Amino acid sequence: MKALVFADSKDGSIVKSSFEAISYASKFASEVTVVTYAGVSDDQLSALGAYGAQKVIKASSLSDNDSQALTSLVCSVAQSEGSEAVVFSQDFTGKAVAGRVAVKLNAGLVSGAIDYPDTSSGFTVKKMAFSGKAFAHVKITSPIKVVSVLPNALGAENKGGSASVTEFSGQIEGSKVKITQSAQASSGGAAPLPEAELVVSAGRGLKGPENWGIVEDLANALGATTACSRPVADIGWRPHHEHVGQTGVAIRPNLYIAAGISGAIQHLAGVNGSKVIVVINTDPEAPFFKAADYGIVGDAFDVLPKLTEAVKKFKAS
Amino acid sequence: MKFLVCISKAPDTTSKIDFTDNATKFNEAGIQYIINPYDEWYALVRALELKESSGGEVTIITVGPQADEPVMRKALAIGADKAVRINAEATDSGFVANQIADYAAKENFDIVLCGKETINYNSSQVPAMIAAHLDYPLISLATKLDINGSTATLQRDGAGGEETVEVQTPFVLSAAKGMAEQRIPNMKGIMAARTKPLEVIEPTGSDVHTQVVSYEMPSGKAECKYLEPDQMDQLVELLHTEAKVI
Ligand SMILES: Cc1cc2nc3c(=O)[nH]c(=O)nc-3n(C[C@H](O)[C@H](O)[C@H](O)COP(=O)(O)OP(=O)(O)OC[C@H]3O[C@@H](n4cnc5c(N)ncnc54)[C@H](O)[C@@H]3O)c2cc1C
Ligand SMILES: Nc1ncnc2c1ncn2[C@@H]1O[C@H](COP(=O)(O)O)[C@@H](O)[C@H]1O
C-alpha cells in the first residue's frame, strides 16, 4: 500500500506529531511519501527518511496553513502519487484539513487513531470514543483511506536513513482567509498541551491564582506543560486553553500530575488516556485516586515544593 | 445574516458507558441526552448573540432520528428560530456532513457554525467535511467571532497559539471554548419552543465509507500506589525506574 503523509511545521522545524504520523504510515505502507509546505530546510526534510519516508514533496510557494490551500496540495499529490492511504496528525492543522481531503478523495476518515490499522480483514482503526471512556474499532470501506493519528499516542521510531526531496510542481488553490495577527505564543517554551509528554495540572484545591507559582515551579523543573481543571479556567485563574477534560483539551501525556483536582468524571474523560497519573489531594476519598497510578494524600502546598526539590535533585544527579 | 448551527446530541457527561450485542452496539438504556456542549455553549449562543445585535435568523440542523427532537427543542428554547432534522441515523461523519451541506447549499446561509467536536466520538471531522462539500473556507477551533457587514473577524487556536483572521461570508467554523457563555433557557423560551417550526427532511442518497465494527472498554487500572508527602525522592525514583516516564 502506498501512503501519503502530511507534515506540518512550526518556526522552521517539522513538528513532533508529524514524525509520529510518518512512523505510523511506515508501519503499514510499503511506500511512504511526505508532503509539506514552505519554511523547512531541505536537510531537515531529507532527515524525515529516518522515520520511514522515501520521498518528500515540498510546496515552497505555500506558506500558510489554510485548509483549502492545503487540501488542494495534498489531494493533488495523492492523485499524482496514486496514494491509497493519506495520514495526518490529529493536531490543529489535521483537524482542519483531514476531513476536507477525505471528501475530495471520496474517502472514509478515521480521526484520532491510537493504534496501527488492522489489515487482516480490510482496514480497521482503533480510536477513543465517549471521551476516552471506551474505544471504537472503525472500518474504512472506501478504496482510499484517510487516517489522523492522535498526538503522543504511539510515538515516532527513528531508524536512520534519508529521503529524496523534490519540489511540488502543480497548482494550489488560493487561501480565502487573511491572517491579520499571527500566533501569540500561549504555552511559553513548553510543548502545546495536546502534544505534551509531561503535564502538571492543578484545580480549585490551589485556592487562588496567586498560588500557581508552586505548580509552575514543578512544571519548569520537569520541562512539563501546565494545565488546569475547568472551574479554574472559568473563574479566570488560568487561561482557557489550559482547561483539560471532556469539554476542554483531551490529552494523552506520558505523565499527568494532578494537584487539588477532585477527579470528576468530566475531568477524567480528558486525561484518562495518560500513561501514568500522579494525584495529590488532601481528601483520601477524592475520586481521582481510583484513576491514579501513584497517590499522595497531602496538602498540595506542602507536596508540590517537595516534589519540585526531588525532581531538581534527580535532574542534577 | 443567516446562521446555520449544527447540533448533535451527546450522552450526558456523567453517563456510564457500556455496550450490548457482543460489544457492537452502544447501550442507550438509562442514557440522558444533552446538546453536545460545544454546539450549545459556543456555536449556538454566539449565533444568537450576533442575531440579537445585527439581525438575522438562526436555524439549527440535526442529522438524526425522531428521538433527537427533545434535544432540538432545547436549542429552540435557548433561542433558535427554527429547526431542521434530516431523518437518518448519524453513523458516519461523511454522511452527516453531506446531508448538512446539501441543505445548506439550497438555503444560502452566511455562516455555518459547528462545535469543535462531539464528545461521543471526539472526531472533529464534520466541520471540515461540510466546508469541503460547499467549497467554503473553514475557520477551525474558533474562539471569537465578530461580524461587520460581510466581513467576519475571528480568533482561532493554532499550533503556535491564538491567531486573528479575517474572512468574507459565506464560511464554516468550528467553535471552541471562549466564543460565548452558556445560556440557560427560561420558561418563556421553553413555551415558545413548542410552537417553533421543526421541519423533517428525508436524507439524500450518499455513500457511507466507515463503519464501527466493535467497541472495547479500557482495561481496569492497577491499584494506586500511595506515598507519603515526605517520600518525594522515592516517587521520582519510581517515575524513572518503574513507570519510565521521566
Ligand atoms: C457538562 C460538563 C462538562 C464538564 N467538563 C469538564 C472538563 O472538561 N474538565 C474539568 O476539569 N471539569 C469539567 N466539568 C466540571 C467537573 O464536573 C468538576 O466540577 C471539576 O472538574 C472540578 O474541578 P476541581 O477538581 O478543580 O474542583 P473541586 O471539585 O472543587 O475539587 C478540589 C479538590 O481539591 C482538593 N483540595 C483542596 N485543598 C487542597 C490542598 N490544599 N491540597 C490538595 N488538594 C486539595 C479537594 O479535596 C478536592 O478534591 C464539567 C462539568 C459539566 C457539568
Ligand atoms: N448528527 C449531527 N447532526 C448535526 N450536526 C452534527 C452531527 N454530528 C456532528 N455535528 C456537528 O459537527 C461537529 C463536530 O462533530 P464531529 O466531527 O463528529 O466531532 C459537532 O460539534 C456538530 O456541530
Side-chain angles (χ1 to χ4, degrees):
Chain A
M1 184 178 256
K2 286 180 161 182
L4 177 66
V5 183
F6 169 72
D8 203 358
S9 63
K10 185 184 157 191
D11 305 331
S13 302
I14 296 289
V15 296
K16 188 183 124 222
S17 55
S18 294
F19 298 150
E20 295 170 0
I22 299 167
S23 243
Y24 184 91
S26 73
K27 292 277 178 178
F28 68 85
S30 51
E31 242 181 276
V32 178
T33 301
V34 171
V35 59
T36 190
Y37 49 178
V40 182
S41 71
D42 281 2
D43 284 352
Q44 261 197 69
L45 294 179
S46 160
L48 295 177
Y51 298 100
Q54 277 93 44
K55 198 151 80 172
V56 178
I57 298 174
K58 62 163 183 178
S60 301
S61 62
L62 182 62
S63 59
D64 87 74
N65 67 352
D66 176 63
S67 71
Q68 272 176 303
L70 282 178
T71 298
S72 74
L73 168 66
V74 172
C75 290
S76 156
V77 175
Q79 269 146 12
S80 62
E81 295 288 309
S83 312
E84 296 152 279
V86 183
V87 179
F88 292 86
S89 165
Q90 172 79 336
D91 52 17
F92 296 102
T93 311
K95 285 180 182 172
V97 183
R100 210 166 187 134
V101 165
V103 167
K104 296 289 176 199
L105 297 177
N106 202 19
L109 160 65
V110 176
S111 59
I114 54 169
D115 205 348
Y116 303 106
D118 175 355
T119 51
S120 58
S121 89
F123 192 98
T124 303
V125 182
K126 180 174 173 178
K127 65 172 292 183
M128 290 209 259
F130 301 98
S131 304
K133 293 178 197 167
F135 304 113
H137 296 268
V138 187
K139 187 171 187 168
I140 306 182
T141 51
S142 51
I144 299 179
K145 333 281 183 200
V146 183
V147 179
S148 72
V149 185
L150 201 68
N152 206 39
L154 292 159
E157 209 180 318
N158 186 328
K159 291 183 277 194
S162 62
S164 67
V165 181
T166 52
E167 186 65 45
F168 174 73
S169 56
Q171 284 292 317
I172 301 172
E173 200 177 320
S175 163
K176 297 186 190 120
V177 179
K178 193 167 106 203
I179 299 176
T180 52
Q181 192 187 358
S182 53
Q184 305 284 317
S186 52
S187 55
L193 263 183
E195 292 168 26
E197 290 179 6
L198 306 172
V199 175
V200 178
S201 184
R204 226 155 31 182
L206 266 277
K207 314 270 191 299
E210 67 281 5
N211 298 327
W212 244 260
I214 52 174
V215 179
E216 277 160 2
D217 287 346
L218 177 58
N220 288 339
L222 280 166
T225 306
T226 50
C228 67
S229 67
R230 178 166 155 224
V232 160
D234 283 351
I235 30 184
W237 292 359
R238 300 297 293 173
H240 74 77
H241 62 78
E242 278 199 3
H243 152 204
V244 293
Q246 186 156 19
T247 49
V249 186
I251 55 170
R252 226 184 140 75
N254 297 345
L255 174 62
Y256 184 68
I257 301 180
I261 301 179
S262 56
I265 189 164
Q266 298 95 351
H267 185 84
L268 294 181
V271 304
N272 57 8
S274 309
K275 288 180 192 119
V276 174
I277 295 179
V278 176
V279 169
I280 303 164
N281 199 303
T282 41
D283 176 7
E285 301 294 320
F288 219 147
F289 285 116
K290 290 204 181 65
D293 298 277
Y294 301 100
I296 301 112
V297 178
D299 188 336
F301 293 90
D302 169 41
V303 177
L304 285 175
K306 284 182 176 152
L307 181 52
T308 305
E309 279 319 302
V311 169
K312 283 187 181 155
K313 225 160 70 188
F314 166 76
K315 296 259 171 174
S317 67
Chain B
M1 189 139 304
K2 284 178 75 182
F3 302 91
L4 181 66
V5 183
C6 304
I7 297 282
S8 58
K9 67 163 186 229
D12 175 38
T13 52
T14 54
S15 306
K16 283 249 177 303
I17 303 297
D18 75 289
F19 304 99
T20 60
D21 294 32
N22 229 343
T24 57
K25 273 210 178 68
F26 175 51
N27 184 3
E28 293 197 278
I31 296 284
Q32 287 274 10
Y33 282 101
I34 57 170
I35 306 178
N36 185 46
Y38 294 104
D39 311 355
E40 177 189 338
W41 302 349
Y42 310 131
L44 175 60
V45 175
R46 189 61 191 146
L48 294 172
E49 288 171 354
L50 290 172
K51 173 198 136 176
E52 285 155 12
S53 62
S54 348
E57 189 181 51
V58 176
T59 306
I60 59 149
I61 186 166
T62 299
V63 179
Q66 193 179 6
D68 291 6
E69 288 189 4
V71 161
M72 301 176 70
R73 289 281 172 206
K74 183 171 175 210
L76 291 170
I78 295 170
D81 298 299
K82 58 183 199 178
V84 173
R85 181 170 66 81
I86 311 287
N87 188 26
E89 289 289 341
T91 50
D92 171 75
S93 310
F95 173 79
V96 168
N98 211 338
Q99 300 305 319
I100 294 174
D102 279 355
Y103 177 78
K106 283 197 298 250
E107 300 288 325
N108 289 314
F109 290 96
D110 298 290
I111 307 181
V112 179
L113 300 95
C114 297
K116 97 170 170 148
E117 64 188 23
T118 48
I119 59 172
N120 14 353
Y121 292 101
N122 305 93
S123 297
S124 298
Q125 297 183 175
V126 170
M129 288 175 158
I130 296 174
H133 281 296
L134 295 170
D135 242 328
Y136 287 179
L138 167 71
I139 312 299
S140 181
L141 308 180
T143 53
K144 251 196 196 135
L145 163 67
D146 287 300
I147 47 179
N148 184 356
S150 62
T151 306
T153 306
L154 298 101
Q155 264 178 29
R156 67 176 173 199
D157 279 340
E162 225 158 43
E163 198 167 67
T164 309
V165 302
E166 247 175 48
V167 65
Q168 302 296 314
T169 57
F171 65 92
V172 179
L173 70 80
S174 73
K177 186 173 180 176
M179 184 166 275
E181 296 288 336
Q182 182 177 12
R183 266 191 199 184
I184 312 290
N186 56 23
M187 209 50 209
K188 197 168 141 238
I190 294 168
M191 297 304 286
R194 294 194 185 152
T195 53
K196 284 181 181 170
L198 193 161
E199 188 186 352
V200 179
I201 299 177
E202 289 308 313
T204 45
S206 97
D207 297 343
V208 169
H209 297 308
T210 63
Q211 168 199 339
V212 175
V213 188
S214 62
Y215 294 97
E216 184 186 327
M217 295 302 286
S219 49
K221 270 255 173 194
E223 281 281 293
C224 175
K225 270 193 193 166
Y226 285 93
L227 292 109
E228 296 299 322
D230 287 325
Q231 295 181 303
M232 290 305 101
D233 289 326
Q234 280 98 313
L235 176 61
V236 169
E237 186 62 27
L238 285 168
L239 292 175
H240 180 59
T241 53
E242 185 179 76
K244 299 189 169 54
V245 289
I246 59 172

